[in-house]
Amino acid sequence: MAILSVSQLNRYVGFKLKEDRALQGILVRGEITNFTNHYRSGHLYFTLRDAESCVKAVMFRSNAQRLRFTPREGMNVIAAATASLYERDGAFQLYVTDLQPDGAGTQALALEQLKKKLTAMGVFDAAAKRPLPAMPQKIGVITSDTGAALQDVKNVIGRRYPIGHLLVYPAQVQGDAAADSVCRAIAAAERDGCDVLIVGRGGGASETLEAFNTERVVMAIYHCAVPVVSAVGHETDWTLADAAADLRAPTPSAAAELAVPDVRHLMQQVQEQARRLDSAMQQQLRQKAQELERLSDRLKMQSPAHRQELAQQELAHLQQRLEKGMALRLEQCREQLAQQAARLEMLSPLKILGRGYALAYHGEELVRSAAQVQPGDRLRLRLAEGEVMTEVVPQES
């Protein structure tokens, strides 16, 4: 009997397992335990167990990144795998190529997990939503070129907004290739400089809408530089793409109505704006005319001719005041003179002479005392009317 090394033994057992076609592409049901997500490599390591046994399993990154849900500890799954031997450790294990949640509602569970993941990333945040352009020039439409949805969009936009340029990006909207097809169409619409983008399809069974529930399509919509209107299925249908879009419409026709304005309404707005503009212009003209009139008046007031006229008026007024003042002053002076003359006349010696008195002059000297004269002096007497000569005689004792 030959003696085998450990390596030879493990290599032989591994070869035998690979030869056994019954262990290739098998489906294994079990509960996940000892789950490890190796983030650096992207590989998943775990154990599948049932009530009596367990088996180690590994899922490499190339397969793990295609999963539509996140495996977790204690989850019941069905694994598509190949049984083999890890020669280095001599460990029997499964090399898993796909995983599906086990039991009813597996698609719903996977969708719910993806929704939670995207919610945590902020993909559905209302703050990230962008407003649609008021008057888009280029309207991109991503849908099947053979479906009724495209014709509905064309009809609505042609009726409401014929001045817009409609760009159609045909894409598969169901099937395994649909997600990649929609993502490529979104990228093409971005490169062409569309102003708004309608992404959607007509109604159908829920499984036909799977492409719009994939992470690739949702992230393509989220990262799209162009505002996106999502219109997938009927009014009651809901997809992750609807939640990621900037605006969700119940149908493709409704999406077209939301994406573009009604040109008739625009014309009404233009007419109203024109009326308001005309009214504002008339008001401005009236205000400017009034302002011009005020400025003209101010300019006239500041003109040399007007200032000369004002100066002449002021001069005439001052002259009139001066004349009046002078006349009044002259009259006052006359009155004062008359009063003074009357007073002077009352005090005049001549006035006294009129009452019988006389002034005696000895030569030119007015005689005020008897001591000023001697007997025999000739005196000149001034009377009220005329003068007489007299001689001083001795006083009788």
Side-chain angles (χ1 to χ4, degrees):
M1 179 179 294
I3 299 176
L4 302 174
S5 66
V6 174
S7 298
Q8 289 173 330
L9 176 61
N10 286 351
R11 190 173 299 115
Y12 177 77
V13 175
F15 179 74
K16 286 296 185 182
L17 290 174
K18 288 180 181 180
E19 279 191 325
D20 191 345
R21 294 185 176 279
L23 299 178
Q24 310 299 313
I26 59 177
L27 297 176
V28 181
R29 175 184 284 115
E31 178 187 351
I32 294 178
T33 61
N34 303 318
F35 179 76
T36 299
N37 186 348
H38 199 284
Y39 292 101
R40 180 170 297 179
S41 66
H43 306 327
L44 305 181
Y45 300 93
F46 54 94
T47 298
L48 286 179
R49 71 178 183 184
D50 58 16
E52 299 178 357
S53 301
C54 61
V55 60
K56 293 183 178 299
V58 59
M59 188 175 196
F60 294 124
R61 177 182 178 179
S62 58
N63 295 313
Q65 65 184 5
R66 294 199 301 266
L67 291 177
R68 294 187 178 182
F69 71 103
T70 303
R72 64 174 184 267
E73 189 79 14
M75 180 179 288
N76 292 320
V77 296
I78 297 176
T82 295
S84 185
L85 187 77
Y86 185 39
E87 293 184 10
R88 192 195 71 176
D89 296 340
F92 176 74
Q93 66 180 15
L94 298 177
Y95 291 88
V96 179
T97 58
D98 190 21
L99 281 177
Q100 294 293 333
D102 187 21
T106 58
Q107 292 293 333
L109 177 60
L111 182 62
E112 184 62 27
Q113 287 187 346
L114 179 58
K115 180 181 177 182
K116 290 180 179 179
K117 173 185 175 181
L118 297 174
T119 300
M121 292 170 60
V123 174
F124 306 137
D125 287 352
K129 307 302 183 185
R130 296 161 297 183
L132 303 185
M135 295 183 63
Q137 296 182 2
K138 293 182 179 180
I139 305 100
V141 180
I142 296 176
T143 189
S144 171
D145 58 352
T146 60
L150 177 58
Q151 192 58 45
D152 292 341
V153 171
K154 286 183 177 180
N155 291 338
V156 172
I157 293 180
R159 170 175 51 84
R160 288 173 57 87
Y161 196 65
I163 61 176
H165 186 198
L166 185 63
L167 299 176
V168 179
Y169 299 89
Q172 295 185 38
V173 293
Q174 66 183 65
D176 294 338
D180 289 335
S181 180
V182 171
C183 291
R184 287 194 300 269
I186 291 175
E190 285 187 277
R191 289 193 300 269
D192 290 344
C194 288
D195 299 304
V196 67
L197 196 57
I198 299 174
V199 179
R201 55 155 297 160
S206 59
E207 56 269 15
T208 65
L209 310 179
E210 289 182 357
F212 298 94
N213 281 320
T214 61
E215 185 172 357
R216 283 172 293 170
V217 171
V218 171
M219 295 309 294
I221 292 175
Y222 177 68
H223 290 299
C224 183
V226 181
V228 176
V229 181
S230 176
V232 181
H234 297 296
E235 185 171 355
T236 56
D237 293 323
W238 181 91
T239 65
L240 295 179
D242 292 326
D246 297 289
L247 187 63
R248 188 251 177 183
T251 63
S253 297
E257 292 186 358
L258 293 172
V260 298
D262 191 333
V263 70
R264 293 170 297 182
H265 180 61
L266 291 178
M267 290 300 298
Q268 292 175 355
Q269 289 182 328
V270 169
Q271 293 171 358
E272 175 62 19
Q273 292 296 328
R275 185 193 64 77
R276 294 177 60 184
L277 179 61
D278 181 68
S279 177
M281 286 297 295
Q282 292 297 327
Q283 178 67 19
Q284 283 290 319
L285 288 175
R286 286 192 294 269
Q287 292 178 352
K288 294 303 180 183
Q290 294 173 357
E291 184 177 354
L292 180 60
E293 185 176 354
R294 289 196 300 269
L295 292 175
S296 297
D297 291 341
R298 289 181 60 187
L299 181 61
K300 182 179 178 181
M301 294 291 291
Q302 298 297 325
S303 69
H306 181 70
R307 296 177 67 178
Q308 181 181 9
E309 181 182 353
L310 291 178
Q312 289 176 344
Q313 292 176 358
E314 181 67 14
L315 179 61
H317 177 66
L318 292 175
Q319 185 175 3
Q320 184 179 11
R321 288 181 59 188
L322 179 61
E323 291 175 353
K324 289 183 178 180
M326 290 179 64
L328 178 62
R329 183 61 179 166
L330 182 59
E331 182 65 25
Q332 291 175 347
C333 290
R334 286 174 178 171
E335 291 179 358
Q336 290 177 356
L337 181 60
Q339 292 174 359
Q340 294 296 329
R343 291 177 62 187
L344 182 60
E345 185 179 359
M346 291 296 295
L347 297 175
S348 174
L350 298 178
K351 190 73 173 178
I352 298 174
L353 295 180
R355 296 199 297 269
Y357 293 94
L359 293 175
Y361 290 91
H362 183 209
E364 296 298 326
E365 184 178 1
L366 180 65
V367 179
R368 293 183 175 84
S369 171
Q372 292 180 255
V373 297
Q374 297 295 330
D377 289 341
R378 288 184 67 81
L379 299 178
R380 179 170 49 89
L381 298 178
R382 184 175 180 177
L383 304 174
E385 296 181 2
E387 293 181 355
V388 295
M389 298 298 293
T390 187
E391 182 178 339
V392 178
V393 294
Q395 184 177 6
E396 294 180 3
S397 55

